[in-house]
Amino acid sequence: GPLKPEITITYIAVSAIFFNSGLSLKTEELTSALMHVKLHLFVQIFTLVFFPTAIWVFLQLLSITPINEWLLKGLQTVGCMPPPVSSAVILTKAVGGNEAAAIFNSAFGSFLGIVITPLLLLLFLGSSSSVPFTSIFSQLFMTVVVPLIIGQIVRRYIKDWLERKKPPFGAISSCVLLMIIYTTFCDTFANPNIDLDKFSLIIIVFIIFSVQMSFMFLTFLFSTRNNSTFTPADTVAIVFCSTHKSLTLGIPMLKIVFAGYEHLSLISVPLLIYHPAQILLGSLLVPTIKSWMVSRQKALKLTRQPKAPVKV
């Protein structure tokens, strides 16, 4: 169509989100985030190991139900996807969490996903094809890393102006993300071969929201337990990065791995539902998570303040 999503979305929109992040993020915050190895390990292991395995176990139970088997396979593909290159960053920023950690894990997880996601699909679904790693890697590098670096360079020269004017970076990123979702939905549901029964679709929507809520709660519990070294801002990044899945990387990868499958459209549906669902759910939870983070930070500050000596 006239929007040309194969260019405007695949290249321009994703690049705009990361240029925006590079422009708004303080360089020292990004540097310190690289050193937070424990946080990165937690996010990547949860996303690329625990998530797909838990979904596989759950689907063994669902396989005896009358739910469309291709939609169930689509749920498994959702589990195998890497973290997103946009939504987790935007929501972490909206709450005021550790945006630098969210950016690193989104970018790093996407690069890991180029290799790991096809292997996971092969392991859980038995689908195999020659995935062009080089072209996907170069596309990610050009649309994620390069815009982020350019944004950081530009920031050095207009830093004072940015501090003074405070442009609406969050609103810009949200508008771009809305465009990504709209064009992807158009692309899938315009397919004349898609054959969905309402019962399966409703059940899949319910399952997707339940899985997201459960996993968000699980990551929140793990990252806030007593012996955890994560700050409240870290927890925000962990909750969003660990439970969100990439649509911009996922759809092209599904088209590559399942090339020639007549049920490709049905396999894509759960991911197409999951992506807007994670943004909708995340957006609804932003005020609640923000108030928790602020109150938690205040409580931690009070406990760290030295007590005044008692006069005898």
Side-chain angles (χ1 to χ4, degrees), residues 15-82:
S15 298
I17 285 173
F18 278 88
F19 174 76
N20 196 20
S21 292
L23 206 58
S24 62
L25 193 68
K26 292 175 183 175
T27 310
E28 56 274 16
E29 288 179 2
L30 195 58
T31 310
S32 66
L34 297 176
M35 301 298 108
H36 210 331
V37 178
K38 188 180 175 184
L39 188 151
H40 308 325
L41 281 173
F42 182 98
V43 171
Q44 301 307 326
I45 290 171
F46 191 95
T47 309
L48 296 171
V49 179
F50 177 81
F51 202 127
T53 307
I55 291 291
W56 182 82
V57 171
F58 183 48
L59 290 183
Q60 300 312 300
L61 301 173
L62 290 178
S63 62
I64 59 172
T65 66
I67 301 170
N68 187 299
E69 66 167 312
W70 297 103
L71 288 179
L72 292 180
K73 285 180 186 291
L75 269 179
Q76 185 64 67
T77 65
V78 170
C80 297
M81 290 300 149

Side-chain angles (χ1 to χ4, degrees), residues 26-190:
K26 292 175 183 175
T27 310
E28 56 274 16
E29 288 179 2
L30 195 58
T31 310
S32 66
L34 297 176
M35 301 298 108
H36 210 331
V37 178
K38 188 180 175 184
L39 188 151
H40 308 325
L41 281 173
F42 182 98
V43 171
Q44 301 307 326
I45 290 171
F46 191 95
T47 309
L48 296 171
V49 179
F50 177 81
F51 202 127
T53 307
I55 291 291
W56 182 82
V57 171
F58 183 48
L59 290 183
Q60 300 312 300
L61 301 173
L62 290 178
S63 62
I64 59 172
T65 66
I67 301 170
N68 187 299
E69 66 167 312
W70 297 103
L71 288 179
L72 292 180
K73 285 180 186 291
L75 269 179
Q76 185 64 67
T77 65
V78 170
C80 297
M81 290 300 149
V85 291
S86 47
S87 60
V89 176
I90 293 166
L91 289 168
T92 302
K93 184 182 178 69
V95 174
N98 191 339
E99 188 193 353
I103 286 177
F104 177 83
N105 279 286
S106 294
F108 183 59
S110 296
F111 283 114
L112 279 179
I114 295 168
V115 178
I116 294 175
T117 295
L119 294 175
L120 288 173
L121 291 172
L122 175 62
L123 177 67
F124 289 110
L125 296 172
S127 174
S128 63
S129 72
S130 54
V131 180
F133 295 118
T134 311
S135 62
I136 300 176
F137 188 88
S138 59
Q139 183 185 319
L140 271 174
F141 185 79
M142 294 305 294
T143 56
V144 175
V145 179
V146 172
L148 189 66
I149 292 169
I150 292 171
Q152 286 281 285
I153 293 167
V154 172
R155 180 183 170 81
R156 289 183 65 182
Y157 294 100
I158 59 168
K159 188 177 177 181
D160 294 334
W161 181 83
L162 289 171
E163 296 288 337
R164 197 166 59 251
K165 294 289 183 181
K166 298 190 186 304
F169 291 117
I172 294 166
S173 295
S174 299
C175 290
V176 175
L177 198 59
L178 186 63
M179 188 180 171
I180 292 172
I181 295 165
Y182 171 73
T183 53
T184 310
F185 259 91
C186 290
D187 183 41
T188 299
F189 291 102

Side-chain angles (χ1 to χ4, degrees), residues 245-274:
K245 292 292 182 176
S246 177
L247 178 72
T248 48
L249 185 62
I251 291 298
M253 199 169 279
L254 284 181
K255 286 179 179 176
I256 293 164
V257 176
F258 293 101
Y261 265 56
E262 59 175 315
H263 298 289
L264 174 60
S265 295
L266 283 174
I267 291 172
S268 306
V269 167
L271 183 58
L272 282 162
I273 297 169
Y274 195 96

